[in-house]
Amino acid sequence: MSMLARTARARPKTSNLDSEFARDVIAGLSARPKWLWAKYFYDDRGSELFEQITALPEYYPTRTELGILDARAAEIARFIPPGTALIEFGSGSTAKARIVLRAAAVAAYVPVDISAGFLNSEATRLARDLPRLRILPVAADFTTPFELPAAIRTRPRVGFFPGSTIGNFEPPQAAEFLRHAARLLGQRAHFIVGVDLVKDERVLEAAYDDAAGVTAAFNLNLLRRINRELGADFDLDRFRHKALYNRAQHRIEMHLESLAAQNVVLGDRVIPFTAGETIHTESSYKYTVESFQALAAQAGWSPAAVWTDPKGYFSLHALRLA
Ligand code: AVJ
């Protein structure tokens, strides 16, 4: 089966009000406080904006993690036996995987991403650069159960989950995800996970509220997506991006704040906002090396190695099943 056929088939249609996207949006906007799933940021435009975020001077995670991967590629490769299938959760851009693919004897690369368009263009670029690598993209929401391609059934498996995307889960859901990943990857698997670390609040808040306004555009794009795909009438000029560090919960929160009392129409519903009311659109949890290892242990994963950068901003964990 061709890559395009596979992704086209797995891509859910979200243009009607019975879709899962519609149901999640209606449920979130009917709740108090209002909230939306961060995974819905990543339509094609959102994925592009996120790529721009990763290049911002304030957004340290991507370049810090790339630095760790570069410096430690040989050590990381020791956890990747010859013939491995490398399964990347929420792959986005393949920049990080490329470092691993260059250093280790990976036979098959399975990028899993919710954004089918972005997934396919990245897979096509990678295939051009690494013609001998078997690339098996899976367009799926990795937060819900999905199947691995049958072609990798007999291969050793290593999971790859960089970017601190695990920080988007509430800690109990992060543990549940790690348990699912253990089941999916199986018995002798390793898991390489990138985790952003607790640090100075000013550094954290700047990373999520950049001077150029790219993060603001990324956050507001969610309302644009709801307008386009669900026919809502959010006025993007009457909401603003807000980012704050919640010290008690070790998390950055992103919100969209209503600048006025207003009603938004979505299908047959009217969603009222008071002035200053917010929609909580993302949590990005920060861990210490120890607090993350404790979380992973709850899901059956033991620490095999951990690497950090000189400033202690970011951590990369190699886990194995105990
Ligand atoms: C892709 C979830 C790791 O939390 O840092 C970046 C997303 N949101 N700027 C993060 C994000 C705002 C990012 N993750």
Side-chain angles (χ1 to χ4, degrees):
M1 183 172 26
S2 85
M3 183 176 93
L4 288 168
R6 174 178 192 88
T7 53
R9 207 150 52 94
R11 172 79 167 160
K13 255 254 151 273
T14 50
S15 57
N16 65 70
L17 288 165
D18 300 326
S19 67
E20 194 175 344
F21 177 48
R23 282 196 302 274
D24 285 348
V25 167
I26 289 165
L29 295 181
S30 307
R32 292 288 120 81
K34 294 179 170 69
W35 71 286
L36 293 168
W37 287 101
K39 64 184 178 186
Y40 292 127
F41 283 135
Y42 302 93
D43 62 357
D44 289 344
R45 175 73 184 138
S47 296
E48 262 167 44
L49 284 166
F50 179 67
E51 287 313 303
Q52 290 178 31
I53 287 173
T54 64
L56 292 168
E58 297 94 333
Y59 194 75
Y60 62 85
T62 308
R63 80 178 60 87
T64 305
E65 187 177 37
L66 283 168
I68 298 171
L69 284 163
D70 261 326
R72 306 298 191 157
E75 289 170 57
I76 295 163
R78 279 187 222 133
F79 295 102
I80 304 175
T84 286
L86 185 75
I87 294 118
E88 180 169 2
F89 298 86
S91 50
S93 128
T94 52
K96 291 165 190 168
R98 281 167 188 261
I99 300 174
V100 176
L101 294 169
R102 229 179 290 128
V106 172
Y109 171 56
V110 183
V112 183
D113 202 280
I114 194 168
S115 174
F118 197 65
L119 179 71
N120 284 326
S121 58
E122 283 295 308
T124 305
R125 277 198 325 127
L126 188 65
R128 221 174 292 139
D129 299 341
L130 298 174
R132 281 198 298 277
L133 178 68
R134 182 144 198 208
I135 304 172
L136 302 162
V138 177
D141 172 2
F142 66 79
T143 67
T144 63
F146 66 93
E147 305 235 324
L148 290 176
I152 66 159
R153 203 164 30 219
T154 60
R155 296 201 169 277
R157 289 155 189 191
V158 175
F160 186 45
F161 194 30
S164 202
T165 304
I166 193 146
N168 272 175
F169 292 110
E170 299 299 311
Q173 277 69 55
E176 194 183 306
F177 166 77
L178 289 167
R179 246 173 264 130
H180 281 150
R183 213 169 309 133
L184 187 74
L185 297 171
Q187 289 290 301
R188 284 176 309 282
H190 281 95
F191 203 5
I192 313 286
V193 185
V195 182
D196 197 16
L197 297 173
V198 171
K199 65 183 62 60
D200 188 317
E201 290 175 32
R202 285 164 301 183
V203 175
L204 285 169
E205 289 186 344
Y208 292 84
D209 195 6
D210 62 281
V214 182
T215 310
F218 173 73
N219 199 2
L220 284 159
N221 180 61
L222 185 49
L223 300 184
R224 194 185 304 272
R225 179 180 188 181
I226 294 168
N227 284 349
R228 189 186 60 243
E229 293 190 23
L230 306 179
D233 70 347
F234 278 103
D235 179 351
L236 271 62
D237 291 330
R238 299 175 90 194
F239 286 87
R240 78 169 183 106
H241 166 68
K242 204 170 145 183
L244 59 97
Y245 186 62
N246 180 330
R247 212 175 303 158
Q249 307 215 61
H250 311 289
R251 70 188 195 199
I252 280 280
E253 294 178 8
M254 296 211 316
H255 295 262
L256 288 164
E257 182 184 4
S258 175
L259 294 173
Q262 57 183 318
N263 289 324
V264 173
V265 175
L266 173 53
D268 58 3
R269 287 158 205 268
V270 176
I271 299 152
F273 286 86
T274 59
E277 184 177 3
T278 75
I279 309 170
H280 183 186
T281 51
E282 183 176 48
S283 290
S284 189
Y285 279 85
K286 308 305 170 187
Y287 290 89
T288 62
V289 164
E290 295 72 26
S291 68
F292 181 71
Q293 287 177 339
L295 181 83
Q298 287 176 39
W301 293 98
S302 301
V306 60
W307 304 279
T308 61
D309 57 294
K311 283 183 175 162
Y313 275 11
F314 201 91
S315 60
L316 191 68
H317 296 252
L319 306 171
R320 62 179 161 66
L321 288 173

